[in-house]
Amino acid sequence: TRRRLPGSFGRIFYNMAARARLRRRRPERKCKAMRSEHLIGTSIPRFTYDTPLAPGNDFYALCQGSEPLAMIFLPAFGHPIAREYIARYLKSLGQLKGVRLACVVRTDPHVIAGAIPEEQMPFSLICDGQGVLYNFMGVEQAGILQSWSFAAQRIFKNARAQGFSYDKNAPQMLPLTLVIGPEGKILFAHYGRSLTDLPEDCGTIRSICEEVRRVSQAAGKKSDPARSDETLTLPDLAQALGRSPEEEESDAMSSLFF
């Protein structure tokens, strides 16, 4: 039987092909970062990234292979939402068959290097402390009330019981879920509407990737947009957007949780 997907994910696949046709008719919105209206079929530029255990990894090497790559953008590593969902993915990793996973956290790698033994991190953890990828992909922040959900309330309640405190006036990083093919091609994008509007476990991630693959095969092969073979670092990517990491405003999440 087909797995029923929870929340917003449960509604996004039924008319995916029809909505893809509508996207091609709509004019693109003017914004600095890419958005879901014109994201599908484009490619993320080649760049290098750091993990807590290894610097200078090639993003296109991560994308290689026949298995799709699911990328989940989370807030800072110390944020209760990030901790909760990383723990869920680790617990349900056996359901992640035929799919690869990478979580992106807005934390410098040296901050969490000692907290993650190599044998306990079976999927990639991309560290983007400067928020370059977040800015490039248009990941949004929202107030605590605008980003709230009952699931988030339970997570924060458990975190408070363990001694965690937070500023209700601080902006909250909303999640982003991507499915990536070879050479950084974006096959699917979902911008979360709340703090917990993201895949709940590896079984959900697998279901999303299987549905994306089915729809892509039904739609047939399309020509890829032009892309460069140049490999960028994350600071290079920031400069390509016309802004450097030093010009970014201080991250409210980092000041809250570290």
Side-chain angles (χ1 to χ4, degrees), residues 159-233:
R160 284 197 302 270
Q162 299 174 12
F164 171 80
S165 61
Y166 65 96
D167 183 357
K168 293 182 179 180
N169 297 319
Q172 301 291 314
M173 190 75 66
L174 295 175
L176 167 63
T177 301
L178 300 176
V179 177
I180 306 293
E183 297 183 295
K185 184 176 181 179
I186 299 174
L187 307 176
F188 170 81
H190 177 71
Y191 287 86
R193 297 180 177 88
S194 73
L195 286 169
T196 55
D197 188 7
L198 71 161
E200 64 179 9
D201 55 27
C202 287
T204 305
I205 293 173
R206 180 185 177 186
S207 296
I208 292 168
C209 291
E210 287 177 348
E211 188 70 13
V212 170
R213 183 182 298 170
R214 185 188 67 80
V215 172
S216 298
Q217 290 174 349
K221 296 182 179 179
K222 295 181 176 63
S223 59
D224 290 341
R227 46 178 181 261
S228 172
D229 289 333
E230 180 184 6
T231 301
L232 305 175
T233 63

Side-chain angles (χ1 to χ4, degrees), residues 13 54 74 105 114 194 237:
F13 297 116
L74 299 166
V105 292
S194 73
L237 194 59

Side-chain angles (χ1 to χ4, degrees), residues 98-112:
V99 178
R100 291 166 297 150
L101 173 63
C103 289
V104 187
V105 292
R106 190 157 181 182
T107 307
D108 290 326
H110 65 84
V111 175
I112 54 178

Side-chain angles (χ1 to χ4, degrees), residues 48-179:
T48 58
Y49 64 91
D50 296 337
T51 71
L53 304 172
N57 301 277
D58 183 4
F59 176 65
Y60 277 15
L62 181 64
C63 300
Q64 280 182 348
S66 58
E67 297 180 347
L69 172 70
M71 288 184 68
I72 313 294
F73 284 70
L74 299 166
F77 182 78
H79 192 285
I81 297 294
R83 292 293 184 103
E84 172 70 19
Y85 280 88
I86 288 175
R88 291 186 186 184
Y89 298 153
L90 288 171
K91 290 179 181 178
S92 59
L93 198 64
Q95 303 175 39
L96 197 68
K97 298 178 180 179
V99 178
R100 291 166 297 150
L101 173 63
C103 289
V104 187
V105 292
R106 190 157 181 182
T107 307
D108 290 326
H110 65 84
V111 175
I112 54 178
I116 305 179
E118 184 173 1
E119 64 274 8
Q120 294 184 13
M121 189 50 61
F123 52 80
S124 298
L125 191 65
I126 299 175
C127 297
D128 183 15
Q130 296 291 343
V132 176
L133 278 177
Y134 290 81
N135 293 326
F136 184 76
M137 299 305 303
V139 177
E140 297 179 348
Q141 295 186 15
I144 194 69
L145 293 179
Q146 291 81 10
S147 60
W148 205 245
S149 68
F150 288 112
Q153 183 178 6
R154 290 191 295 270
I155 293 171
F156 276 96
K157 182 178 179 180
N158 293 334
R160 284 197 302 270
Q162 299 174 12
F164 171 80
S165 61
Y166 65 96
D167 183 357
K168 293 182 179 180
N169 297 319
Q172 301 291 314
M173 190 75 66
L174 295 175
L176 167 63
T177 301
L178 300 176
V179 177

